[in-house]
């Protein structure tokens, strides 16, 4: 690779990472905060929460990566154009491929990286996250309850304890159960414990108050009472896997006895083609970026900033691809659109690059932009005159 190509590639990679890491950190933070209840509701340690947060990170990379690449290419080439570096490259007789070749190779490499991520790494991380959350909630009552605090276990079920003892022992239990509309139950007990299976709460020396819809209250004292948690623990602790949690090989040959496949077979078809086609985004977005800012241009031209134009084009392709995915879930025949959208966008950009032509805004849009720029300059000139 030539020295100039290495110089361009190095600058683009640096800008790409500069754009990727902050955006990835912001999105990752919002995703992690949505799962903060793993600590607050299930009593898990901070270490477990950080492990969960680490496993979420790889599931976001493939989505953010193509847009960070657009920012890296457009910002680097625009800066080089403003510093007249692209004009110098043209004046020196270097071919346009000197600029394009390293960036196209970068786009191809990131497309392969994205394919590996969405096909194997992301599904494995998703399964680990779901398994971890399910395990945290499996032994529900022994991990959720806190001392002297009412905790909502599910809709209509609240628990409070006065003291948690070593092991699985509890003191001063109060359970309010209004899940059954036909009756409201309130349990009091001096002592209690959750059995080893986590499916039964054994209460000792207490009473049960049952309130009927008519308002009548029945009180029953007990020496020992078993409160069933099996349905609740199984529901909260069950790992439910869908099409997004399957590896690429499992999507190619799904298990016909899989309940999730039986419920929504269209999801498997759409997810398979979505993963393969989304790996085309980096190379397609690279071609779009090169088409918009891959050559020297005058500063006097009225046009949008290349980064804005490239991001608008990239977002349009991404949204069209997402809409095509939803159509494919309903009818597998729309799967061809998932490949056609990025290929068409990249193909049109390649045609512009091969013919050395620029995409132009419609005449009315160019006039509006020119008028806006002229108006802004007049106002700035008037403001400067007033300040003087």
């Amino acid at each position: 690779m030539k020295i100039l190509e290495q110089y361009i590639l190095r600058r683009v990679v640096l800008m790409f990472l500069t754009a990727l890491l902050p955006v990835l950190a912001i999105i990752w933070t919002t995703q992690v905060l949505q799962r903060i209840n793993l600590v607050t509701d299930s009593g898990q340690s901070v270490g477990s929460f950080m492990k969960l947060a680490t496993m979420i990170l790889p599931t976001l990379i493939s989505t953010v990566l193509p847009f960070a690449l657009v920012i890296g290419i457009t910002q680097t080439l625009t800066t080089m154009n403003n510093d007249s570096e692209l004009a110098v490259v043209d004046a020196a007789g270097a071919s346009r491929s000197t600029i394009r070749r390293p960036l196209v190779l970068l786009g191809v490499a990131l497309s392969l990286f994205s394919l590996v991520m969405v096909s194997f790494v992301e599904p494995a991380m998703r399964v680990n996250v779901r398994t971890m959350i399910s395990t945290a909630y499996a032994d529900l009552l022994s991990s959720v309850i806190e001392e002297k605090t009412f905790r909502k276990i599910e809709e209509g079920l609240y628990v409070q304890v006065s003291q948690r003892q070593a092991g699985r022992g509890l003191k001063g239990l109060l359970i309010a159960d209004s899940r059954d509309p036909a009756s409201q139950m309130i349990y009091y007990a001096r002592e209690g414990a959750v059995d080893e299976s986590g499916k039964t709460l054994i209460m000792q020396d207490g009473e049960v108050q049952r309130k009927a819809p008519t308002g009548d209250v029945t009180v029953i004292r007990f020496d020992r009472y078993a409160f069933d948690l099996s349905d609740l623990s199984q529901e909260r602790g069950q790992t439910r896997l869908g099409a997004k949690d399957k590896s690429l090989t499992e999507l190619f040959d799904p298990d016909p006895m899989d309940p999730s496949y039986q419920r929504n077979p269209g999801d498997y078809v759409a997810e398979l083609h979505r993963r393969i086609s989304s790996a085309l985004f980096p190379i397609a977005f690279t071609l779009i970026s090169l088409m918009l800012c891959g050559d020297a241009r005058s500063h006097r031209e009225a046009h949008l900033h290349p980064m804005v134009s490239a991001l608008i084009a990239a977002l349009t392709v991404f949204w069209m691809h997402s809409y095509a995915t939803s159509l494919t879930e309903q009818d597998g025949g729309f799967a061809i659109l998932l490949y056609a959208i990025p290929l068409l966008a990249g193909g049109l950009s390649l045609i512009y690059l091969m013919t050395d032509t620029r995409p132009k805004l419609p005449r009315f849009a160019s006039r509006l932009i020119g008028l806006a720029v002229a108006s802004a300059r007049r106002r700035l000139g008037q403001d400067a005159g007033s300040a003087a």
Side-chain angles (χ1 to χ4, degrees):
M1 187 177 290
K2 300 177 182 178
I3 296 178
L4 180 57
E5 293 177 347
Q6 294 177 2
Y7 168 74
I8 295 173
L9 181 60
R10 183 169 59 252
R11 290 190 59 175
V12 170
V13 170
L14 180 60
M15 184 57 64
F16 162 71
L17 294 177
T18 303
L20 175 66
L21 297 180
V23 174
L24 189 61
I26 293 172
I27 299 178
W28 175 69
T29 302
T30 59
Q31 294 294 316
V32 167
L33 291 178
Q34 292 177 5
R35 294 169 174 81
I36 193 68
N37 61 332
L38 180 69
V39 176
T40 59
D41 288 350
S42 64
Q44 297 295 303
S45 65
V46 176
S48 299
F49 178 72
M50 293 307 299
K51 180 181 178 181
L52 174 68
T54 304
M55 290 188 293
I56 291 174
L57 186 60
T59 65
L60 307 174
I61 294 178
S62 60
T63 302
V64 181
L65 182 148
F67 297 99
L69 181 59
V70 170
I71 296 173
I73 294 175
T74 54
Q75 180 61 29
T76 299
L77 295 183
T78 300
T79 302
M80 292 180 65
N81 181 68
N82 294 338
D83 295 340
S84 301
E85 291 181 89
L86 295 184
V88 172
V89 171
D90 286 344
S95 64
R96 298 289 174 83
S97 62
T98 303
I99 299 174
R100 298 168 183 172
R101 185 187 300 114
L103 302 185
V104 170
L105 291 177
L106 176 62
V108 171
L110 291 179
S111 289
L112 295 176
F113 174 77
S114 180
L115 180 61
V116 173
M117 290 293 295
V118 299
S119 300
F120 302 103
V121 179
E122 283 189 22
M125 292 298 102
R126 288 181 185 273
V127 171
N128 290 338
V129 169
R130 293 185 185 277
T131 302
M132 183 176 178
I133 294 176
S134 300
T135 302
Y137 283 115
D139 190 6
L140 186 65
L141 213 55
S142 63
S143 59
V144 169
I145 52 182
E146 297 180 0
E147 294 182 358
K148 301 178 181 179
T149 303
F150 269 103
R151 298 305 302 271
K152 181 179 179 181
I153 307 301
E154 70 168 15
E155 192 65 35
L157 181 61
Y158 297 83
V159 177
Q160 182 194 38
V161 297
S162 298
Q163 182 180 356
R164 294 185 61 171
Q165 297 179 312
R168 310 172 76 84
L170 307 168
K171 279 192 173 183
L173 283 86
L174 170 62
I175 302 176
D177 185 1
S178 59
R179 292 174 295 175
D180 185 359
S183 61
Q184 297 181 9
M185 311 287 287
I186 299 179
Y187 301 84
Y188 302 94
R190 291 183 180 273
E191 297 181 352
V194 181
D195 68 352
E196 293 295 334
S197 65
K199 297 181 178 180
T200 305
L201 173 62
I202 307 298
M203 295 183 287
Q204 299 177 352
D205 189 14
E207 64 181 30
V208 182
Q209 295 184 5
R210 178 181 181 275
K211 183 178 180 181
T214 58
D216 298 334
V217 178
T218 303
V219 180
I220 301 175
R221 293 194 57 83
F222 60 82
D223 293 329
R224 185 181 177 88
Y225 187 89
F227 188 85
D228 186 17
L229 301 172
S230 58
D231 293 340
L232 187 61
S233 297
Q234 290 175 5
E235 180 181 354
R236 294 285 295 274
Q238 184 179 4
T239 303
R240 297 181 176 86
L241 302 179
K244 291 185 177 181
D245 307 307
K246 305 296 182 179
S247 66
L248 194 64
T249 54
E250 291 175 312
L251 292 176
F252 269 116
D253 186 21
D255 182 5
M257 302 305 296
D258 189 337
S260 65
Y261 177 73
Q262 294 176 346
R263 289 193 302 268
N264 300 302
D267 290 353
Y268 280 69
V269 176
E271 181 64 18
L272 170 63
H273 296 289
R274 183 198 67 82
R275 290 188 191 178
I276 299 175
S277 59
S278 64
L280 299 172
F281 283 160
I283 183 61
F285 290 0
T286 297
L287 295 173
I288 291 173
S289 301
L290 287 173
M291 174 190 65
L292 293 172
C293 62
D295 55 356
R297 62 181 62 195
S298 171
H299 300 292
R300 293 189 176 92
E301 295 182 23
H303 59 80
L304 290 175
H305 191 284
M307 183 187 297
V308 177
S309 302
L311 285 176
I312 291 175
L315 286 170
T316 301
V317 173
F318 181 80
W319 288 332
M320 292 175 63
H321 186 268
S322 299
Y323 180 67
T325 301
S326 63
L327 293 178
T328 306
E329 292 176 355
Q330 303 171 12
D331 185 353
F334 287 101
I336 188 65
L337 293 177
L338 295 175
Y339 301 94
I341 292 170
L343 288 175
L344 183 61
L348 289 175
S349 301
L350 184 60
I351 291 174
Y352 278 109
L353 290 173
M354 297 300 292
T355 57
D356 285 330
T357 56
R358 299 179 185 176
K360 296 182 179 179
L361 291 172
R363 184 170 300 178
F364 74 90
S366 298
R367 290 179 177 176
L368 289 177
I369 294 175
L371 291 174
V373 172
S375 176
R377 288 177 176 174
R378 286 195 300 269
R379 291 183 179 179
L380 289 174
Q382 292 174 359
D383 292 342
S386 299

